[in-house]
Amino acid sequence: MAAKPITGLILSGGGARAAYQVGVLAGIADLLPPGAANPFPVIVGTSAGAINAVTLASGAIHFADAIRRLTSFWQGFRSHQVLRSDWPGVIRQASRFVCHNLLGLGTPVPVALLDSSPLRKLLNQHLDMNGIDQAIERQHLHAVAVTAFGYESGQAVTFYQGRGAIDPWLRHRRIGLPTRLSVEHLLASSAIPLLFAPIKLGEEFFGDGAVRQSAPISPALHLGASRVLVVGVSGNPQRPTAGDLQPRIFSGQQPSLAQIGGHMLNSTFIDSLEDDIELLQRLNHLSHLMPEHLERRRLGLAPVEVLVVAPSQPLDEIAARHRRELPAALRLFLRGPGATKTSGAGVLSYLLFEAGYCSELIELGRRDALAKRRELCAFLGLPPLS
């Protein structure tokens, strides 16, 4: 008799874009019967996705309640809860960044363009990390993990907390380490380079886990998952079509700093995940072509079922509609690089921690999940809907 599959949940990074993940999870909660247990024994998160992952894991005993709390958390967001958005805070941080990083003045402390110190206070108030132990003890959770990037080692380090003996792993530029997760791990995993200051864990400073994370799905497999649900934050989820090869009309204008930054953020948070999904699908195809008598698992080619839910609308366009929600100081700070213009809204889509924008992403995520209700029900082993 085949072993029961272990479902892993992959929550990618993306700053404020991670609100979309909450909507997808809320849609999944709507599909589950009342009082249903957590359907994701393995939960893996990176960057802002790490915050969602640990929040879900800490409330895994009561899955529906955890989703409601997570939804309320994101729907109530304001920028000042995540970063200093007042005039003194923005000016002070920008001045420190210029003086220390460009002019070499001041003390050698971690300095970034934005001051994310309010986020530490918010997470300490919001999260009950002891809930992870309780969920593991009562077998509502097998393991939860977050990934951060070590600036000195150059390694993508996955810190995980789980039930029983889960062996650490060592691969090229990515390792897994057992630990007791804390708020500091979440701050490290979500510290976007240059925008937010790195966080010291042990003897090394860490930043956003999406940096050089070449195999975002791999940690879930190391933790025992045999199938994975990936909730992405790409605003362009569709595969290329023949129409994409047609000549395009370009403006011929020089890119703004915000446009350049937006592409760099997309490269960090989206490209490696989409490449990993494509690689996994190719390996699954290869596995199905192999003769049955070969030990596919021993060869590292055991098929892994993967289902992807990604935004059906471009998130930068949604962000552009909500740009006036930004506090005045942040709006002025981002106007120079062009982030408040439609062409530079890619950066804005990662930094717009405001209720209107986050609520629209949550609603989009819910709709996208319900649009895939049949696939999700089949994937999670739920009765088919009429």
Side-chain angles (χ1 to χ4, degrees):
M1 182 176 179
K4 183 179 179 181
I6 298 176
T7 305
L9 175 66
I10 311 291
L11 299 175
S12 60
R17 288 183 174 214
Y20 174 83
Q21 300 169 349
V22 179
V24 173
L25 292 171
I28 291 173
D30 290 343
L31 299 176
L32 297 173
N38 168 36
F40 306 109
V42 174
I43 304 174
V44 175
T46 303
S47 192
I51 297 174
N52 288 340
V54 169
T55 302
L56 184 58
S58 63
I61 293 176
H62 303 289
F63 181 77
D65 289 344
I67 298 301
R68 280 192 287 268
R69 288 195 301 272
L70 197 55
T71 303
S72 177
F73 175 71
W74 279 90
Q75 286 179 334
F77 251 143
R78 296 294 186 274
S79 292
H80 71 268
Q81 296 175 300
V82 180
L83 46 89
R84 288 288 300 272
S85 58
D86 56 300
W87 284 106
V90 171
I91 293 173
R92 177 176 178 270
Q93 190 69 12
S95 299
R96 292 180 68 197
F97 182 87
V98 171
C99 289
H100 177 66
N101 292 284
L102 301 183
L103 302 178
L105 303 176
T107 55
V109 295
V111 178
L113 280 168
L114 300 172
D115 180 357
S116 60
S117 57
L119 182 58
R120 176 180 277 103
K121 180 180 178 181
L122 178 67
L123 294 179
N124 279 318
Q125 293 174 342
H126 171 73
L127 286 175
D128 177 16
M129 305 297 285
N130 294 324
I132 296 175
D133 286 329
Q134 297 170 11
I136 291 173
E137 182 180 349
R138 295 175 61 174
Q139 299 187 9
H140 289 271
L141 180 71
H142 178 69
V144 58
V146 304
T147 299
F149 171 74
Y151 279 101
E152 285 192 67
S153 65
Q155 298 271 21
V157 182
T158 298
F159 300 96
Y160 63 89
Q161 185 174 341
R163 182 170 70 245
I166 302 175
D167 293 334
W169 60 89
L170 174 61
R171 298 293 185 270
H172 179 63
R173 294 201 178 280
R174 51 190 175 90
I175 63 176
L177 294 177
T179 190
R180 183 176 178 83
L181 294 176
S182 69
V183 166
E184 296 303 303
H185 291 95
L186 304 185
L187 292 171
S189 180
S190 56
I192 301 175
L194 296 181
L195 295 180
F196 301 139
I199 301 296
K200 195 172 186 180
L201 299 175
E203 298 301 318
E204 186 177 11
F205 279 96
F206 286 83
D208 199 294
V211 177
R212 303 189 73 174
Q213 187 183 30
S214 58
I217 297 175
S218 176
L221 306 183
H222 282 291
L223 295 172
S226 56
R227 63 182 181 187
V228 291
L229 172 65
V230 180
V231 184
V233 294
S234 170
N236 303 287
Q238 304 300 325
R239 291 187 176 276
T241 63
D244 296 326
L245 299 177
Q246 300 300 317
R248 297 181 58 184
I249 299 175
F250 297 96
S251 68
Q253 295 181 348
Q254 183 171 282
S256 66
L257 187 60
Q259 281 180 285
I260 296 171
H263 285 298
M264 292 178 67
L265 288 172
N266 288 342
S267 177
T268 298
F269 291 110
I270 296 172
D271 291 354
S272 60
L273 177 62
E274 294 183 343
D275 289 345
D276 204 26
I277 292 170
E278 186 174 358
L279 175 60
L280 184 58
Q281 290 171 338
R282 288 181 178 178
L283 291 175
N284 283 343
H285 180 67
L286 177 60
S287 174
H288 291 309
L289 294 177
M290 293 180 64
E292 289 292 333
H293 69 275
L294 293 179
E295 298 183 36
R296 293 181 292 184
R297 185 169 298 278
R298 183 175 60 83
L299 295 173
L301 291 174
V304 177
E305 184 181 0
V306 57
L307 178 63
V308 181
V309 181
S312 58
Q313 299 177 24
L315 301 192
D316 52 353
E317 293 182 8
I318 298 175
R321 295 200 299 268
H322 290 271
R323 58 180 176 266
R324 296 191 181 278
E325 295 178 16
L326 271 179
L330 272 180
R331 196 161 60 243
L332 179 62
F333 180 74
L334 294 173
R335 186 172 66 186
T340 56
K341 298 179 180 178
T342 301
S343 60
V347 169
L348 193 64
S349 70
Y350 290 93
L351 297 177
L352 192 53
F353 292 97
E354 293 293 335
Y357 173 63
C358 292
S359 295
E360 185 167 346
L361 294 196
I362 290 171
E363 182 56 32
L364 175 64
R366 186 192 296 271
R367 291 200 308 269
D368 287 348
L370 294 179
K372 283 197 169 188
R373 56 169 60 89
R374 293 190 182 279
E375 296 99 313
L376 284 167
C377 287
F379 182 83
L380 296 173
L382 301 174
L385 298 176
S386 57

